Amino acid sequence: MNIGLFISESEKAISNIIDLQSLASDYKNLASVKIFNNLCSSTSIRAVQEEIKTKKLKGLVLAGESPLYYKKIRNGDLLLKTIHEAGINSNMVSFVNLKEQVAMPHRSDPSGATKKAKVLLDVGIEKLRFTHDVDTIGVTPKKSVAIIGTTIGGLFAANRLLERGYKVHFIDNVSLRDLGDYKTQAMPTLAYIKNHPEVTFHTETPTEIYGYAGNFRISLGDYSLRAGALIVAIENDLTYTEALYPLIRIERDDSGFFKPLISDTSTVETSNQGIFVIPYVKDTPLSYIIALSDSASTLADSLLSKKEIEHELFVSEVDEEVCGGCGTCIKTCIFHAAELDPIKKLSSTNIKRCVGCGNCVSACPTGARDQISAPTKYLISAIKILAQYQPSNNIKILYLACEGCGYPSLDYAGKMGVEYPTSVLPLSVRCAGRIDTQLILEAFREGFQGVVICKCKDDHCLNIVGNIDLDRRANLFRAVLKSRGITPERLRIFGVSECEGGSCVGSAVEFLDYLRNIGGKA
Amino acid sequence: MGKVNVATGHLQGCFGCHVAILDLHEDLIGLLESIEILRSPINDVKEIPEVQLGILDGSVTNTENRETAKKFREKADKILAFGTCACFGGIHGLRNLHPLNDVLKRAYTDTESTLDGKIPASKDIPEMLPHVHSLNQTIKVDYYLPGCPPTPTMIKKALTDILNNREPEIPTKNLCHECVREHHEMYIPKREFITENVTTLMELENIDPKKCFLEQGILCMGPATREGCDSRCVKGNTPCRGCMGPTPDALEQGAKMINALANILPAGGLMFMEDVVGVGYRYALPVSIYPHVKEKKTL
């Protein structure tokens, strides 16, 4: 397979610390190695497209900014789309975070940073050896939107959508919320909505929401609705937020309210495609709420006016030669995405429900289930590669970071200028629930003195129970560590929120001190 | 076609696998028409002759085992790791959880019934290796047949395959696949644990012979264990202990079983069970990811 390695200097932020030229020279065996000043500039994007086509690349390693960065800026998104259109499957692109997780936090140790960058690049390339193309399905979007919350924001969004010919389903536990100060201003809109034939009101609490952008199914007690998109506008109703959270799984702020993925540049988008949020902001002027509801309705419209929405099936897959139908995955999956044929004794994945979190992959006692985005063999191999990094004092820790909070918090620490030793070696996993205890054993075997798992705080797991299941497994697993003469203190689990980078790194540094003090004892 | 020359040998174990060959009964007579057993512990020939097939049972735990295994490898065209100990290190592999010295002290001096015991040491007896090993950690192995011991049906099928130049096929699914017990709760997509309590084997006067053990709160290793043994234990109303080893996609049994159990049975109950580690690694510790106790270093 032709693999390309495209490295970003990030306007010198990376190249000032890491010796990218010497790094690049280590990968001459790859089909293409290129260094860009800024990978996301328009010139770079054109060059990337050209290079993929001429070198017939089928796999790509993007080394530079954090993978989260590409999602946050428009050109980043464009870069990924260009790569996709040039013929590289999304699952065959791997990201190596040289900026936030190497250059920034290790700026006082350029040679250590360069060596660490090398192992991280090796991990990035390794991923492409074990992953395969992810399948896609085309969804014909439903011309309807469910608006959760009969609030001022919800009403204005409904107004816009009705004007553009969409059906609107209002869902809330009251037929109309108290609009407070805005009652008078909302009058005409309210009258328009109430008399519109394409509007329905539902006061039942949703019991289940699943499906994808373009076609969600919302169960309301004994009946269900279909909607192409969801707009969540429940302001500061914490009780309702708690009830909805397990169903829609979008980010929440520290007060527990739903929030957009990035509050400054895309104010209503969430990590769940097709679900938009009109976030609660205290004491906002009406004009701002209207701006938000306009954004939400515009984005819903541009999504649903497509002929077809392509959906990538980053799901759990089953090795049918190995699955014996024990039912463990059925018990594990909170999304009811694991299904079992009791006659054939074979489990399968319901692609409409599976979110790809990988909890069933950890739970599967046979190893028959695997995660398309990060197969077990890749993770094991990545741990072996990371273990090759030799810090000067020989004490190193594996830092398993969940994509929900652990990984972003480590990025945040880098951005905030927090420095920490290069001996903290990060490996990103989809969710804490994906952490199979086999990985922890592998880390100790390969010579890590400690393992840190950085996960979402208790009720903030985007996959609802991933962090709970990790704790359950880790609690039982500690007996295994003890039996090997490894003190269970060498495994640490931290719950952080995204913006607590400093504290999670601080705990890791303190952990390194602890490991140095106990040395080889226990 | 002439007969295939075979030698069998015994390393560390209970001899049960050799006895299992005798359990072939009349089938053994049929088999002996195609093979000639030139050497075995049963006919007590000491030298290892040149053979087409060498069958070894037991694990490698001392210098004598290691030497025998190497000699077999020299003399045999193909080697069959016969039984769980040869395949995975077996039950005595659990001694890897302790440093060798502690094991010897416990066995020869510290046991409550021992008076003036001392650890035997003589150049006439083989030296214990620091850790127990599976056969393929010592020599190259061509074929595997797990089971403690393998059933006569499995033995007959494997030998027939080998005689026909086919690699003996071992099943790949877990024991639940061939288990005939009834499953209800395990198939229901609900996050609740399937029982309120975990029952230890001591409390088992009233096990339902038809119902899944896990659904009765009894720890059964079936989900993390390869099928193919005809679920003898389970049919005999005894939960699976895992002798067939892990399935091919799992890296090891112990950690995998813990991952699964955490979602099936109440963890609180499991933690207070006497020996989660002994249950999970009963037969395959030497081939697990972290196969022995870490050596303690002092600063």
Side-chain angles (χ1 to χ4, degrees):
Chain A
M1 182 178 61
N2 288 347
I3 293 176
L5 166 62
F6 295 166
I7 307 174
S8 170
E9 294 180 332
S10 194
E11 315 277 357
K12 303 270 178 285
I14 297 174
S15 50
N16 279 344
I17 312 292
I18 301 171
D19 185 350
L20 293 180
Q21 296 296 339
S22 91
L23 259 189
S25 65
D26 288 342
Y27 295 97
K28 283 183 183 140
N29 58 332
L30 297 180
S32 164
V33 180
K34 278 187 164 297
I35 300 180
F36 296 87
N37 177 32
N38 171 358
L39 249 172
C40 294
S41 75
S42 318
T43 14
S44 302
I45 293 177
R46 269 196 301 277
V48 164
Q49 186 178 28
E50 198 53 39
E51 186 70 4
I52 293 172
K53 285 191 175 152
T54 43
K55 298 278 169 64
K56 297 192 170 61
L57 303 181
K58 283 289 160 207
L60 196 59
V61 179
L62 295 181
E65 288 86 358
S66 163
L68 300 171
Y69 169 80
Y70 298 93
K71 285 185 198 160
K72 288 189 182 179
I73 61 159
R74 246 168 241 290
N75 267 16
D77 202 38
L78 181 63
L79 172 71
L80 298 184
K81 275 196 184 121
T82 309
I83 291 169
H84 187 54
E85 279 157 19
I88 298 184
N89 186 279
S90 318
N91 207 25
M92 298 310 281
V93 178
S94 73
F95 297 90
V96 180
N97 188 337
L98 295 183
K99 189 179 181 183
E100 286 86 348
Q101 296 185 8
V102 186
M104 291 173 120
H106 308 318
R107 57 187 183 278
S108 316
D109 180 11
S111 85
T114 305
K115 277 188 234 156
K116 181 168 171 177
K118 167 92 174 103
V119 289
L120 294 182
L121 278 175
D122 288 343
V123 169
I125 295 166
E126 192 73 356
K127 182 186 166 209
L128 303 178
R129 282 187 50 209
F130 291 102
T131 45
H132 58 77
D133 285 4
V134 58
D135 288 336
T136 55
I137 52 159
V139 180
T140 313
K142 299 267 173 226
K143 301 285 176 202
S144 62
V145 176
I147 297 181
I148 306 183
T150 50
T151 56
I152 187 85
L155 293 171
F156 280 111
N159 191 345
R160 294 278 184 262
L161 289 164
L162 290 165
E163 282 166 2
R164 291 176 208 188
Y166 288 94
K167 258 188 200 213
V168 170
H169 304 295
F170 268 108
I171 300 170
D172 206 336
N173 39 19
V174 287
S175 56
L176 184 67
R177 282 185 190 240
D178 181 13
L179 301 177
D181 299 346
Y182 307 127
K183 214 177 252 168
T184 351
Q185 286 107 314
M187 270 314 199
T189 309
L190 196 56
Y192 173 74
I193 291 169
K194 281 201 163 162
N195 295 318
H196 203 289
E198 296 295 336
V199 181
T200 58
F201 288 88
H202 308 269
T203 48
E204 296 85 351
T205 307
T207 48
E208 192 176 36
I209 298 175
Y210 71 91
Y212 355 82
N215 191 355
F216 289 101
R217 189 192 173 94
I218 305 157
S219 301
L220 296 160
D222 31 359
Y223 69 106
S224 64
L225 298 172
R226 292 212 177 252
L230 260 70
I231 295 177
V232 183
I234 54 171
E235 295 181 344
N236 58 345
D237 185 340
L238 211 50
T239 327
Y240 205 35
T241 306
E242 293 291 343
L244 284 175
Y245 180 67
L247 310 178
I248 55 177
R249 312 178 311 108
I250 56 175
E251 289 74 12
R252 289 197 286 171
D253 63 20
D254 285 339
S255 321
F257 307 139
F258 290 128
K259 65 161 192 167
L261 186 57
I262 308 127
S263 357
D264 44 357
T265 50
S266 49
T267 45
V268 295
E269 280 168 288
T270 68
S271 58
N272 211 335
Q273 202 201 1
I275 302 185
F276 305 96
V277 62
I278 298 179
Y280 170 70
V281 189
K282 206 173 171 236
D283 300 327
T284 27
L286 183 60
S287 58
Y288 186 64
I289 300 177
I290 293 178
L292 289 175
S293 53
D294 277 355
S295 291
S297 49
T298 308
L299 287 170
D301 178 36
S302 57
L303 177 75
L304 302 181
S305 54
K306 286 181 186 164
K307 247 195 190 138
E308 196 177 72
I309 301 169
E310 195 183 55
H311 186 77
E312 287 170 331
L313 297 173
F314 278 110
V315 294
S316 155
E317 51 184 355
V318 180
D319 181 345
E320 298 190 354
E321 296 295 310
V322 174
C323 173
C326 64
T328 309
C329 51
I330 313 292
K331 297 290 317 161
T332 304
C333 183
I334 191 156
F335 306 110
H336 297 184
E339 291 174 352
L340 191 113
D341 181 334
I343 308 296
K344 282 196 206 154
K345 289 208 174 175
L346 194 62
S347 80
S348 59
T349 302
N350 181 333
I351 54 169
K352 286 185 185 161
R353 291 170 179 266
C354 180
V355 301
C357 68
N359 199 359
C360 60
V361 178
S362 300
C364 176
T366 63
R369 278 192 175 265
D370 212 344
Q371 194 180 27
I372 290 182
S373 56
T376 305
K377 279 187 178 149
Y378 149 67
L379 292 173
I380 291 283
S381 187
I383 291 169
K384 286 188 206 296
I385 292 171
L386 292 173
Q388 288 163 12
Y389 179 74
Q390 291 301 342
S392 47
N393 67 2
N394 230 355
I395 292 182
K396 55 179 177 256
I397 54 177
L398 178 67
Y399 194 97
L400 293 164
C402 83
E403 280 175 20
C405 295
Y407 197 87
S409 71
L410 201 55
D411 275 8
Y412 193 77
K415 271 188 251 170
M416 294 300 288
V418 182
E419 286 200 66
Y420 51 88
T422 50
S423 47
V424 176
L425 292 146
L427 179 62
S428 146
V429 286
R430 180 65 199 278
C431 173
R434 171 64 179 102
I435 298 171
D436 184 328
T437 54
Q438 293 185 120
L439 302 178
I440 303 170
L441 276 180
E442 183 70 27
F444 285 114
R445 177 174 74 181
E446 291 299 320
F448 282 98
Q449 282 78 15
V451 175
V452 164
I453 297 172
C454 201
K455 56 159 195 169
C456 302
K457 280 188 173 161
D458 286 349
D459 50 355
H460 279 248
C461 176
L462 279 183
N463 304 306
I464 322 298
V465 292
N467 53 1
I468 298 172
D469 284 0
L470 166 71
D471 284 340
R472 284 181 182 172
R473 288 172 190 140
N475 285 341
L476 285 175
F477 179 69
R478 290 200 162 89
V480 173
L481 286 182
K482 241 189 236 169
S483 76
R484 306 302 201 274
I486 301 168
T487 167
E489 281 291 297
R490 287 181 185 268
L491 168 66
R492 295 218 172 155
I493 302 177
F494 304 131
V496 294
S497 78
E498 248 177 77
C499 49
E500 290 178 328
S503 79
C504 71
V505 167
S507 314
V509 172
E510 184 234 323
F511 186 31
L512 277 171
D513 284 340
Y514 164 82
L515 293 170
R516 199 169 300 125
N517 287 333
I518 64 165
K521 289 181 291 183
Chain B
M1 200 176 75
K3 284 186 179 183
V4 171
N5 288 332
V6 175
T8 78
H10 173 69
L11 306 172
Q12 200 64 245
C14 69
F15 245 110
C17 293
H18 269 88
V19 176
I21 299 180
L22 299 178
D23 286 342
L24 282 167
H25 299 301
E26 288 87 346
D27 280 340
L28 193 56
I29 300 166
L31 204 60
L32 285 172
E33 281 170 16
S34 356
I35 64 169
E36 185 72 46
I37 301 177
L38 298 185
R39 185 248 187 220
S40 86
I42 300 164
N43 65 15
D44 206 25
V45 173
K46 301 291 183 219
E47 279 304 303
I48 301 158
E50 299 221 339
V51 287
Q52 281 133 300
L53 178 64
I55 299 175
L56 282 170
D57 84 348
S59 62
V60 179
T61 73
N62 63 29
T63 47
E64 190 260 347
N65 301 149
R66 193 165 62 189
E67 208 179 301
T68 312
K70 285 184 174 164
K71 270 190 194 149
F72 257 78
R73 186 67 266 185
E74 279 167 28
K75 297 293 178 81
D77 298 341
K78 299 281 183 192
I79 292 284
L80 167 67
F82 184 52
T84 293
C85 294
C87 291
F88 314 121
I91 203 156
H92 40 273
L94 282 172
R95 92 145 147 93
N96 288 3
L97 292 176
H98 307 275
L100 176 60
N101 253 338
D102 291 3
V103 174
L104 291 172
K105 264 173 63 190
R106 175 72 192 152
Y108 292 105
T109 67
D110 295 356
T111 34
E112 290 69 7
S113 57
T114 306
L115 287 176
D116 303 326
K118 90 177 200 267
I119 298 170
S122 148
K123 60 181 183 342
D124 296 330
I125 55 171
E127 202 183 317
M128 294 275 264
L129 300 173
H131 303 123
V132 175
H133 303 281
S134 65
L135 188 56
N136 69 358
Q137 289 169 339
T138 307
I139 59 167
K140 183 180 165 284
V141 169
D142 303 287
Y143 309 122
Y144 296 87
L145 183 62
C148 185
T151 63
T153 324
M154 289 162 73
I155 298 171
K156 189 183 162 194
K157 193 178 167 297
L159 290 180
T160 315
D161 281 344
I162 293 171
L163 293 177
N164 289 300
N165 283 320
R166 286 192 302 260
E167 193 173 328
E169 225 178 90
I170 341 173
T172 50
K173 291 173 180 268
N174 59 0
L175 190 72
C176 303
H177 181 248
E178 69 176 25
C179 175
V180 291
R181 286 174 174 253
E182 289 162 11
H183 305 266
H184 299 289
E185 286 91 338
M186 283 294 285
Y187 293 173
I188 300 171
K190 267 192 185 163
R191 289 269 310 168
E192 285 84 34
F193 294 123
I194 53 180
T195 57
E196 279 174 13
N197 294 308
V198 176
T199 313
T200 64
L201 277 173
M202 293 305 174
E203 303 164 46
L204 291 184
E205 292 93 22
N206 306 312
I207 315 176
D208 183 337
K210 288 200 179 127
K211 196 176 172 189
C212 166
F213 283 108
L214 287 165
E215 292 183 6
Q216 301 183 59
I218 301 155
L219 212 166
C220 170
M221 279 294 286
T225 304
R226 199 188 281 264
E227 66 172 345
C229 56
D230 194 28
S231 47
R232 283 172 299 178
C233 303
V234 173
K235 283 179 185 162
N237 215 13
T238 305
C240 170
R241 289 155 51 101
C243 79
M244 288 288 284
T247 53
D249 282 353
L251 301 167
E252 65 159 54
Q253 261 174 311
K256 266 302 185 193
M257 195 60 195
I258 277 178
N259 290 347
L261 282 176
N263 287 46
I264 300 175
L265 293 175
L270 286 167
M271 263 187 282
F272 292 105
M273 259 193 56
E274 273 175 35
D275 192 7
V276 171
V277 177
V279 172
Y281 293 95
R282 187 177 272 144
Y283 293 97
L285 181 67
V287 297
S288 69
I289 296 173
Y290 205 107
H292 49 75
V293 67
K294 185 178 136 197
E295 275 163 44
K296 292 206 170 57
K297 286 176 208 149
T298 42
L299 282 179

